[in-house]
Amino acid sequence: MSKPKGAPRRPDPAVTPASPCPCGRAGTYRDCCAVFHQGRATAPTAERLMRSRYSAFAVGDTGYLLRTWHPTTRPGSLDLEPAQRWTGLDILGTTGGSAFHAEGTVEFRAHCSVHGQAGSQYENSRFVREDGQWVYLDALSSPGIGT
C-alpha cells in the first residue's frame, strides 16, 4: 500500500525522542526540534527554523516542512527520498534573522548519505516572517547535492 504524496513518513528509527537532536544543538530531539515539529513552540530565529527544518528532513516530517514554507514558494506536496539519511549540519553563516528582524539568511552545508554514498547539500536560504512566524522563502544559491 503506498502512502499519499506529502504524507509524513515514519521517523528514522535512529532518531528517538531521547536521541541527540539531528540539528546539532545540545540536547535531545524531544527538548530541541521536536517542540517545533509538534507545534508546542515556534522557532524564535531564522537559524532555529533552519535547524528545525533540517531535523524535519532527518525524521521525515513533511508536514512540518510544508507548514514552515512560505505560501508563495511552497510546493503542493513533498516526497522525501526514503534511502536518504541526513548525517550532520554545518551552519556557515547568518544575516539578520533574529527576534528583531523581518528577514534573514542562513548559509549551511547539510551532510547526507543515499544508498551508502556520502554527499552534502550547500544552500544559502532566505527566511521571512509571515504572520509573526519565521518561514522558509527560497534559496539564494543551491547547487544541489554533491560530494
Side-chain angles (χ1 to χ4, degrees):
M1 182 161 115
S2 66
K3 65 181 180 180
K5 284 183 90 120
R9 71 177 190 194
R10 291 183 183 214
D12 185 332
V15 179
T16 68
S19 295
C21 193
C23 82
R25 289 176 47 96
T28 64
Y29 171 64
R30 173 191 306 114
D31 296 330
C32 191
C33 289
V35 300
F36 303 133
H37 297 170
Q38 296 166 358
R40 294 185 284 138
T42 58
T45 66
E47 180 182 337
R48 288 295 303 275
L49 178 64
M50 191 269 129
R51 287 179 177 276
S52 70
R53 286 176 55 83
Y54 170 84
S55 290
F57 276 103
V59 301
D61 190 344
T62 56
Y64 180 77
L65 292 166
L66 292 170
R67 284 192 309 277
T68 58
W69 208 314
H70 195 276
T72 63
T73 57
R74 176 178 49 226
S77 65
L78 188 60
D79 291 319
L80 302 179
E81 169 57 59
Q84 188 166 40
R85 298 291 175 250
W86 295 97
T87 58
L89 176 65
D90 298 321
I91 301 296
L92 305 174
T94 63
T95 62
S98 78
F100 304 105
H101 294 102
E103 56 187 57
T105 65
V106 179
E107 182 180 12
F108 67 92
R109 182 170 308 280
H111 302 276
C112 65
S113 68
V114 181
H115 301 292
Q117 182 81 14
S120 67
Q121 177 176 335
Y122 167 84
E123 187 170 307
N124 193 2
S125 297
R126 192 162 51 145
F127 297 87
V128 296
R129 285 192 189 265
E130 179 78 13
D131 297 326
Q133 308 299 313
W134 284 107
V135 293
Y136 170 76
L137 181 61
D138 58 16
L140 296 171
S141 57
S142 177
I145 295 179
T147 55

